[in-house]
Amino acid sequence: MAEPHPYQITSLGDAALLVQFGNTIDEGINQKVLQLFRKLQALQLHYITDVVPAYSSLAVYYDVYQLLQKEKGFKAFEFVAQLLKDILHQPTAEEVQSHNAIEIPVCYAPAWAPDMEAVALQKNLSIEDVISLHTTPQYTVYMIGFLPGFAYMGKVDSRIAVERHVQPRLQIEAGSVGIAGLQTGIYPLTSPGGWQIIGRTPISLFQKEQPSPVRLQPGDKVQFYAITENEFKNY
Amino acid sequence: MSLRIIKPGILDTVQDGGRHGYRHLGINPGGAMDSFSAGLANALLGKEGGAAVIEMHFPAPHIVFEAPTMICMTGADFSPELDNIPIPLNQPVIINKNTLLTFTKRVWGACCYLAILHTFSIEKWLNSYSTHLKAKAGGFRGRALQKGDVIPFVEYYDFSDLLGEKPFCVLPWKVPVPERKRSVIQFIKGAEWDLLTREAKALFGKELFTMAPQSDRMGYRLQGKPLKTSTKEQLISTPVAFGTVQLLPNGQTILLMADHQTTGGYPKIAQVASVHLPLLAQMQPGATFSFSEVNLQTAERELWQQKHYLQQVKSASQFKIEKLLHANL
């Protein structure tokens, strides 16, 4: 029996539970979360209606009526918690990560990067340096939340890790690329928000007409690359 | 065969049992705010609890039915009238074509549900009819209903034998409208309940909270005495749920409702029991209530019993409707 990473299972109300591995943004822990996420998805249990991975936690939403129909007398929470414990104690084969990174073009020109100057100033860097540091790493999509298709990606180079605005903007345009601490993300819809905006992508992260409306999935690898204003306009 | 919006209400949307299976993509299920009332409206028509309904707030719409229809309304009492004659809630009604449904005044509650015997002939988005207002998808063209909107039906029913020349006929089965008393909302401790100081925990279970004006389908802002935590630990984002009570840095709370975001970074101090979400859904800004802890097993049992009750209403109603339709042939 494999020794799983330390975890805690608590209820998330009476129709869901939460598995927590910690309170940090950590690639190793997130991989454990994504492994559990994939295993649960693969099981396709009819009484589980949603499974949501986050940085270091995972929620399972279940249908109490369906569960308790079958066998009265046990508690739905305990039944699902036991299922999770059994999965967590299974030996896990090392996953072969054969994802190619998804390349996302970003225009970092001033008209599309309202916070770029302030970020460069705060971090004592040139704008070219900020762009270089943002486009160098391959980021992992840790989780999706806040809006349909809003991918929380990390980790950002600490040299450009800036805290989010104290006062969020009332409107951030769809496609805006931002930084908040060690996270980077793209607003898939126009929305209020507090992230520091350093660029804009011409790509749609959310398209409701598509059978798969969300472009990025938890676990994807992402690489940003810079495009000119002209290329952006003609994309 | 359809219904037409003659005058829109303040917020009328098509909702159903929710869009499940997409939370991991940031797409929250949405669905009816008061899932019990929505389920009951369907059950009284012999339909599945999660079938599509129209959720209305007050001021409510004026709707004309362009074909004979059987409807049922539940939830808030907005004094519904058909051709200016009052009709009851929680009871199916057969309507003749070109009959006008209006709502004259708000007596109680915040959202009223309109279910019809027919199937709405509208497209699902990601397997559900619920309207996702932020994504502008699902429901009727991804938005609230507007003047002139026509929602077509799939089936045609000829109720002429039962109606004759009358504009409508109230059918003889119903469920009683529940007693509306001061609400005590049951909660289960949240994952971060223990971040609260001992005094804050006691306060949470005792004090009176008020629903603030900045409340909507996404969540309710609550006003109350500030709640203190024993640490200032910053939390990273975790998944949340309908009914999660989040603690803000200033000690006030937000109660997440049907259109909540899928994840959040605030401490989750409590989780409202599922059977009490409908009570919250019927509150208006200014409403006051208190919280009372319930154990998880009790909450689960009550949830099961509520669903079971709706199944029983559905079976009984289905039987009566089939008899009615066959007698009509």
Side-chain angles (χ1 to χ4, degrees):
Chain A
M1 282 278 226
E3 228 3 88
H5 189 283
Y7 64 87
Q8 214 187 9
I9 300 181
T10 54
S11 66
L12 181 62
D14 51 35
L17 60 70
L18 197 62
V19 183
Q20 294 181 100
F21 296 98
N23 186 39
T24 51
I25 299 178
D26 175 287
E27 180 119 17
I29 295 184
N30 186 251
Q31 271 182 22
K32 297 263 177 279
V33 171
L34 293 177
Q35 273 167 12
L36 182 57
F37 170 64
R38 291 184 193 117
K39 282 193 182 178
L40 280 164
Q41 277 198 320
L43 286 175
Q44 296 202 354
L45 295 165
H46 62 278
Y47 54 81
I48 289 183
T49 57
D50 262 302
V51 183
V52 182
Y55 286 111
S56 316
S57 61
L58 177 129
V60 179
Y61 303 78
Y62 45 85
D63 184 334
V64 168
Y65 190 59
Q66 267 201 63
L67 253 178
L68 296 185
Q69 282 277 59
K70 306 221 154 218
E71 289 159 59
K72 290 206 198 156
F74 60 70
K75 303 167 202 175
F77 167 72
E78 286 182 2
F79 182 80
V80 181
Q82 188 59 51
L83 167 77
L84 281 160
K85 286 177 195 164
D86 291 343
I87 296 175
L88 284 166
H89 286 263
Q90 280 169 5
T92 306
E94 269 312 301
E95 295 219 350
V96 178
Q97 290 289 353
S98 60
H99 290 232
N100 284 332
I102 296 165
E103 297 189 338
I104 297 189
V106 181
C107 178
Y108 294 96
W112 313 100
D115 295 316
M116 178 65 92
E117 258 196 64
V119 170
L121 195 66
Q122 194 195 325
K123 299 306 258 186
N124 222 358
L125 296 166
S126 68
I127 291 180
E128 290 71 39
D129 284 338
V130 174
I131 296 172
S132 172
L133 289 167
H134 191 248
T135 52
T136 303
Q138 201 178 81
Y139 300 102
T140 303
V141 175
Y142 283 86
M143 58 178 270
I144 313 230
F146 167 57
L147 287 172
F150 188 104
Y152 287 81
M153 298 177 271
K155 288 193 205 183
V156 162
D157 192 303
S158 56
R159 288 170 283 180
I160 54 167
V162 280
E163 287 311 309
R164 68 188 76 196
H165 290 287
V166 172
Q167 278 285 65
R169 279 195 177 86
L170 287 175
Q171 186 163 310
I172 296 186
E173 294 301 314
S176 294
V177 178
I179 296 179
L182 291 169
Q183 311 160 107
T184 183
I186 308 170
Y187 285 82
L189 301 170
T190 298
S191 150
W195 291 39
Q196 304 272 0
I197 305 304
I198 58 165
R200 186 88 65 94
T201 179
I203 287 191
S204 287
L205 277 299
F206 173 76
Q207 288 175 293
K208 63 189 178 189
E209 322 76 33
Q210 296 298 326
S212 223
V214 164
R215 184 75 182 80
L216 297 173
Q217 308 260 333
D220 280 348
K221 302 279 184 233
V222 168
Q223 183 90 48
F224 293 109
Y225 67 96
I227 57 173
T228 64
E229 228 175 328
N230 220 22
E231 287 168 325
F232 176 81
K233 287 179 183 156
N234 295 323
Y235 197 84
Chain B
M1 292 79 67
S2 52
L3 62 80
R4 175 190 297 270
I5 307 295
I6 301 299
K7 186 171 167 201
I10 195 163
L11 180 65
D12 320 312
T13 50
V14 175
Q15 301 292 346
D16 67 5
R19 182 169 289 110
H20 299 284
Y22 300 92
R23 270 187 174 99
H24 64 288
L25 300 177
I27 300 172
N28 56 301
M33 281 281 267
D34 177 351
S35 61
F36 174 73
S37 292
L40 183 62
N42 282 320
L44 283 163
L45 297 177
K47 294 176 83 170
E48 273 310 315
V53 293
I54 298 178
E55 178 182 272
M56 304 172 285
H57 293 76
F58 197 81
H62 296 189
I63 300 176
V64 83
F65 294 89
E66 297 178 326
T69 318
M70 188 189 297
I71 68 165
C72 186
M73 284 183 296
T74 57
D77 184 352
F78 296 156
S79 314
E81 292 185 356
L82 282 169
D83 282 1
N84 297 318
I85 302 167
I87 55 163
L89 293 175
N90 290 17
Q91 199 162 355
V93 183
I94 303 183
I95 313 185
N96 218 332
K97 78 178 217 181
N98 295 330
T99 311
L100 178 68
L101 171 64
T102 54
F103 301 86
T104 56
K105 70 175 190 289
R106 193 185 82 85
V107 172
W108 175 86
C111 33
C112 175
Y113 293 89
L114 169 66
I116 60 169
L117 184 64
H118 304 64
T119 313
F120 287 128
S121 182
I122 56 178
E123 267 180 40
K124 285 184 173 178
W125 181 60
L126 298 181
N127 232 15
S128 161
Y129 294 110
S130 286
T131 308
H132 198 298
L133 290 169
K134 207 157 210 144
K136 301 190 172 95
F140 187 83
R141 300 182 190 165
R143 58 167 174 75
L145 298 175
Q146 293 168 6
K147 178 175 168 151
D149 283 347
V150 172
I151 305 184
F153 307 151
V154 172
E155 307 90 348
Y156 177 78
Y157 296 107
D158 177 11
F159 294 122
S160 44
D161 279 1
L162 294 157
L163 283 168
E165 290 305 311
K166 291 184 288 184
F168 66 87
C169 168
V170 178
L171 294 176
W173 66 94
K174 63 181 178 185
V175 299
V177 171
E179 207 194 311
R180 291 139 178 177
K181 43 191 198 289
R182 154 71 60 83
S183 295
V184 175
I185 303 295
Q186 288 181 335
F187 75 95
I188 297 135
K189 290 177 188 161
E192 283 86 50
W193 170 256
D194 284 327
L195 290 184
L196 292 173
T197 61
R198 200 154 39 106
E199 295 75 28
K201 286 179 186 176
L203 198 58
F204 186 77
K206 232 182 19 204
E207 70 164 321
L208 219 52
F209 286 89
T210 307
M211 185 180 160
Q214 315 90 315
S215 296
D216 58 20
R217 272 187 54 96
M218 279 188 69
Y220 290 175
R221 291 263 168 167
L222 302 181
Q223 284 158 346
K225 294 206 187 71
L227 300 165
K228 294 202 169 83
T229 52
S230 40
T231 79
K232 285 269 168 256
E233 191 186 1
Q234 279 298 310
L235 292 180
I236 57 179
S237 291
T238 62
V240 293
F242 186 171
T244 296
V245 179
Q246 296 178 308
L247 182 67
L248 298 176
N250 64 3
Q252 297 298 321
T253 51
I254 297 182
L255 210 169
L256 299 183
M257 300 300 282
D259 280 347
H260 67 278
Q261 293 168 2
T262 51
T263 57
Y266 295 123
K268 305 176 291 295
I269 58 173
Q271 188 70 37
V272 173
S274 292
V275 295
H276 279 202
L277 291 172
L279 293 176
L280 288 169
Q282 294 300 346
M283 289 183 191
Q284 296 237 306
T288 59
F289 62 92
S290 55
F291 285 110
S292 165
E293 194 188 339
V294 71
N295 80 49
L296 184 52
Q297 205 179 359
T298 305
E300 279 185 11
R301 193 177 55 239
E302 288 180 352
L303 175 56
W304 188 91
Q305 281 170 348
Q306 196 179 76
K307 294 255 151 111
H308 190 64
Y309 168 74
L310 289 176
Q311 278 296 317
Q312 291 176 315
V313 172
K314 175 189 169 226
S315 299
S317 303
Q318 216 167 10
F319 178 69
K320 291 187 204 288
I321 290 176
E322 268 159 33
K323 260 178 64 178
L324 206 69
L325 291 178
H326 282 119
N328 218 22
L329 286 173

